[in-house]
Amino acid sequence: MTRGIFIAGNESALFDAVCAGAAARVEHFAGAIIPGHSGGEGTHPEKAIVLPWNPSSPVSARTLVLAAENRLERIDEAVLVCAPPAVFAPPAALNPADVEILVNDHLKGWFFLVKELAALFQARKAGTLALVTSESPGSGGGEAPDLLGSTVTAAFRAFVQSLLAASFNDPYQTFGFSISEPGEETAFAAFVFKIMEENGRRNTGKWHKFGKFNNIFNR
């Protein structure tokens, strides 16, 4: 039986690269996309089983994990990709709707989803949870700062750091991954899967940062 890979995140170059990495390894994988406010155009391989997800709902998180498990037979690896869209604006011009969406969908949703995946892996006493993000700040807003996207990313990193610190006695593996070089998403995705496939306890509970040095050995 092929391994079950589940991927969740928003449409972005990072998400697409991870999906392509999964498609190169299995016949089918399950994917869930944060709706609206996309960070990229999105290219979904034919092998993707796309499932609906309302990130702001704990009930939807549970339904999503059950649906992915039913479609795949089991979830062996869950890869969560946080690459929120940038919202460039001076503080006085912040749109309350953007704040609501970014916090509910791109931050709160990870807590609900991690809870369900952790419960699943804990009960099975096996599994891999990989949390993926970028260290590069958003660009393209001129002089206005990215007040929301970068803030959500920082909060996600802090959440992952806490999960890693608490993971050493877990019966499943937890990994943190980050990329510092934009444009290297494909090589980064290969790096993520390589670390997970090594399946060594020495790698679990750690941040794995990808940069130009790693890419030399992935070519």
Side-chain angles (χ1 to χ4, degrees):
M1 179 171 57
T2 185
R3 73 203 219 226
I5 300 178
F6 168 71
I7 303 169
N10 63 292
E11 291 187 337
S12 61
L14 198 53
F15 180 79
D16 291 342
V18 172
C19 286
R25 289 165 169 79
V26 293
E27 291 185 11
H28 298 285
F29 67 93
I33 304 166
I34 296 175
H37 282 63
S38 301
E41 296 180 358
T43 54
H44 310 300
E46 294 181 0
K47 295 182 178 182
I49 302 169
V50 181
L51 301 172
W53 179 30
N54 175 8
S56 65
S57 167
V59 175
S60 181
R62 179 170 300 179
T63 301
L64 172 60
V65 171
L66 289 174
E69 197 174 21
N70 287 337
R71 297 294 299 271
L72 296 172
E73 295 188 22
R74 69 180 190 185
I75 300 174
D76 297 298
E77 301 165 16
V79 186
L80 310 185
V81 183
C82 179
V87 177
F88 298 103
L94 271 178
N95 185 332
D98 287 335
V99 175
E100 191 79 12
I101 290 170
L102 265 291
V103 172
N104 282 340
D105 291 356
H106 293 268
L107 184 55
K108 185 192 295 185
W110 297 125
F111 287 84
F112 296 147
L113 191 52
V114 166
K115 175 189 182 300
E116 296 302 329
L117 290 167
L120 174 68
F121 293 154
Q122 189 79 38
R124 191 192 301 158
K125 300 189 184 304
T128 297
L129 176 62
L131 302 112
V132 177
T133 190
S134 173
E135 295 179 1
S136 301
S139 60
E143 295 182 358
D146 173 16
L147 293 180
L148 294 182
S150 59
T151 301
V152 169
T153 301
F156 181 81
R157 289 195 202 112
F159 178 44
V160 175
Q161 192 64 56
S162 296
L163 290 173
L164 295 174
S167 69
F168 291 100
N169 293 322
D170 289 337
Y172 59 92
Q173 298 185 105
T174 303
F175 303 95
F177 294 95
S178 60
I179 179 173
S180 59
E181 299 293 333
E184 296 291 344
E185 288 84 6
T186 299
F188 174 55
F191 172 75
V192 169
F193 282 104
K194 177 178 180 293
I195 294 294
M196 291 196 296
E197 289 163 353
E198 287 178 353
N199 201 32
R201 294 299 297 181
R202 64 184 178 86
N203 287 327
T204 190
K206 297 179 181 179
W207 269 113
H208 298 274
K209 297 184 178 182
F210 180 88
K212 291 180 179 179
F213 179 79
N214 305 94
N215 201 16
I216 292 174
F217 299 98
N218 280 285
R219 292 188 187 279

